[in-house]
Amino acid sequence: MRNVLLIIQNILKVTFRKKGNILIYIFLPLAGVILSILIYSGAGSSALRIGLLDHDSGHLAGDLGAMLAATENFKISEVDESEVNNRLLNWELDAVVVIPAGFSESIYSGEPEKVSVISVKGQDTTIWIEQVLNNQIASLYKLSRAAKGDRAMFDKLYGQYRVGRIKFDIVELEDKMTGKNMTLTSMGFLVMFIMLGANLITSLILKEKRDRTYYRICSAPVNSRQYIVANSISALLIVMLQVILIQFAMEFVFRINTGVSHILLFTILMMFGAAAVGLGLLITAFSGSSYMAGTLSPLIMTPTCMLGGCYWSVDMMPEFMQKISYFVP
């Protein structure tokens, strides 16, 4: 046991003697978490910048524009017809709402003119605006049908409609989906770097064989089993350090809620670390040189991480790939 401890001490000393290794084993996993935060920091809903082009001079058209301006997450600004295309193409506006001439009169007559929504961002942007417009225009159409062409009756009904419009109390809810995605991405980066670190530390065996250090160690009262056990434990200790630092940073620095207890998450990640160390030893056993190991590692690690869900959710993959993912760590 003493020999194993001495080998572990030597491996850790040699490993962390190089500042580059400190960067790989300690700071890269933290950088992965920071990157995931940056990716999802702007994932919340932002206000849509909507231009309003009003060709109608009636008060119903004006009220329609005022209703859009009062809608939460809509930022309304009036535009001229000559600048619509430029402002859309320059991404200054997300969409432009065009109220046609005679819109107010068409409401009175019971045949509402179509209000157009122009955007270069597609239906994902326009459907929300169209839904708000259609709801309002549908209400005006029903009032017009009830008034049966009597403009005075319509104005009376419309006035009562505006006064009696339903009021809503707005309660902000936490967007847990964004936090969940951030957590999954952070875990994905951590898993990737754990596998990278485990492969690098086990590849030291090949380096020591090439430098003849391995044979000098084995000439001492140390057998090959003790040497492999020491390398494995050294890799697991580095994995443990990574996991502890990342869990601490996620909990107390970045305030990321993983949704599971610290002990359970630590246990799961250490089990994965053990699998990653075993994979690293397997690559080392089948590699005749450091070059071959360095070639095999990314060829095995990258597809494994992809299938395992480090880069994207497993649910996004085809069903047959989801079944394959059960067989990777």
Side-chain angles (χ1 to χ4, degrees):
M1 186 64 185
R2 181 175 180 274
N3 292 335
V4 173
L5 293 176
L6 289 173
I7 297 173
I8 293 172
Q9 182 181 359
N10 180 67
I11 291 173
L12 294 177
K13 185 186 297 183
V14 170
T15 299
F16 289 107
R17 185 182 299 166
K18 296 181 180 179
K19 294 181 180 179
N21 288 337
I22 298 176
L23 177 67
I24 292 173
Y25 296 129
I26 306 302
F27 292 105
L28 273 183
L30 286 173
V33 176
I34 295 173
L35 179 61
S36 69
I37 292 174
L38 293 176
I39 291 173
Y40 291 101
S41 60
S45 59
S46 56
L48 283 177
R49 298 163 300 174
I50 302 173
L52 181 63
L53 181 57
D54 188 359
H55 291 300
D56 188 74
S57 58
H59 75 282
L60 292 180
D63 288 348
L64 186 64
M67 182 273 300
L68 287 174
T71 302
E72 190 175 3
N73 290 330
F74 283 5
K75 186 177 180 181
I76 305 298
S77 60
E78 294 187 2
V79 295
D80 294 328
E81 190 169 6
S82 59
E83 61 181 3
V84 168
N85 291 336
N86 286 335
R87 297 191 67 177
L88 285 173
L89 293 174
N90 292 331
W91 304 104
E92 295 177 11
L93 294 174
D94 297 307
V96 172
V97 173
V98 182
I99 301 177
F103 172 78
S104 297
E105 290 298 324
S106 70
I107 294 293
Y108 285 123
S109 64
E111 297 180 357
E113 292 282 349
K114 180 177 176 57
V115 176
S116 303
V117 180
I118 306 171
S119 176
V120 296
K121 293 188 175 182
Q123 191 177 14
D124 290 341
T125 299
T126 61
I127 191 169
W128 187 12
I129 306 171
E130 290 173 349
Q131 184 177 7
V132 173
L133 288 170
N134 291 338
N135 287 339
Q136 178 67 7
I137 294 173
S139 298
L140 295 176
Y141 172 72
K142 291 175 183 178
L143 292 175
S144 177
R145 291 291 299 273
K148 298 180 180 180
D150 187 340
R151 184 170 298 196
M153 177 61 69
F154 176 88
D155 289 338
K156 181 180 179 181
L157 292 174
Y158 181 62
Q160 293 174 350
Y161 165 74
R162 294 187 63 186
V163 172
R165 191 174 294 171
I166 298 174
K167 305 295 182 181
F168 293 96
D169 290 329
I170 307 299
V171 179
E172 289 192 7
L173 301 177
E174 181 184 358
D175 186 1
K176 292 190 175 182
M177 193 63 195
T178 300
K180 180 182 177 182
N181 291 334
M182 186 188 302
T183 302
L184 292 175
T185 305
S186 301
M187 288 291 101
F189 280 117
L190 176 58
V191 163
M192 182 181 69
F193 287 120
I194 285 176
M195 186 173 285
L196 174 64
N199 286 335
L200 287 177
I201 194 67
T202 51
S203 67
L204 289 175
I205 298 174
L206 292 174
K207 181 179 182 299
E208 291 187 341
K209 282 186 176 180
R210 185 188 64 206
D211 298 338
R212 316 297 292 181
T213 306
Y214 169 78
Y215 301 103
R216 290 197 297 272
I217 292 175
C218 289
S219 66
V222 176
N223 56 46
S224 58
R225 290 182 180 178
Q226 290 176 325
Y227 179 76
I228 295 298
V229 168
N231 275 273
S232 302
I233 294 175
S234 300
L236 282 174
L237 288 174
I238 292 176
V239 169
M240 184 184 297
L241 179 62
Q242 288 178 321
V243 171
I244 292 174
L245 287 176
I246 290 297
Q247 281 195 259
F248 179 85
M250 291 179 69
E251 176 69 21
F252 299 104
V253 179
F254 303 117
R255 303 294 181 181
I256 297 176
N257 181 17
T258 60
V260 297
S261 67
H262 303 304
I263 297 176
L264 179 59
L265 181 60
F266 177 81
T267 303
I268 292 172
L269 290 175
M270 287 305 300
M271 290 173 66
F272 171 79
V277 171
L279 183 60
L281 291 172
L282 185 66
I283 294 173
T284 301
F286 284 94
S287 301
S289 64
S290 298
Y291 174 78
M292 184 180 295
T295 304
L296 283 175
S297 291
L299 288 177
I300 295 175
M301 186 180 73
T302 303
T304 301
C305 289
M306 292 169 65
L307 288 171
C310 290
Y311 303 143
W312 49 70
S313 174
V314 175
D315 297 333
M316 296 175 61
M317 300 190 298
E319 186 177 354
F320 78 95
M321 293 182 68
Q322 294 184 31
K323 292 179 179 179
I324 295 174
S325 69
Y326 291 125
F327 296 93
V328 298

